[in-house]
Amino acid sequence: MAAQPKGPLTYFPSIEKTYGRSIDQWLNEIAASGITGHKALVDWLKAEHGLGHGHANALAAYHLNPGKWPAYTGAE
């Protein structure tokens, strides 16, 4: 039995389902934005892409803290 995801990973299946893009696509978009601050990323994801606050926060936290959480392998 696989361990339950923790932290931002708990939001990822919902993000993929709600916005129709994979987490890898979102992370590539974030990296290409050149934005480096957490609040700035959250604000940008909400304003430019229409993400909800929790979803934007999860993506920003995951992007800005590489290695803190396990790699996301997709919805089980």
Side-chain angles (χ1 to χ4, degrees):
M1 180 179 200
Q4 290 291 91
K6 297 182 189 303
L9 279 72
T10 61
Y11 288 87
F12 288 178
S14 178
I15 292 169
E16 290 178 328
K17 181 179 178 184
T18 302
Y19 304 103
R21 296 174 74 180
S22 72
I23 297 305
D24 282 340
Q25 289 172 318
W26 283 114
L27 295 174
N28 288 335
E29 185 84 16
I30 290 169
S33 75
I35 301 169
T36 58
H38 183 90
K39 183 178 182 327
L41 275 173
V42 170
D43 291 346
W44 176 75
L45 286 165
K46 289 167 63 174
E48 294 296 319
H49 297 285
L51 271 72
H53 183 79
H55 288 163
N57 189 57
L59 286 168
Y62 189 81
H63 171 75
L64 293 172
N65 296 285
K68 185 172 181 176
W69 295 281
Y72 179 68
T73 58
E76 303 264 328

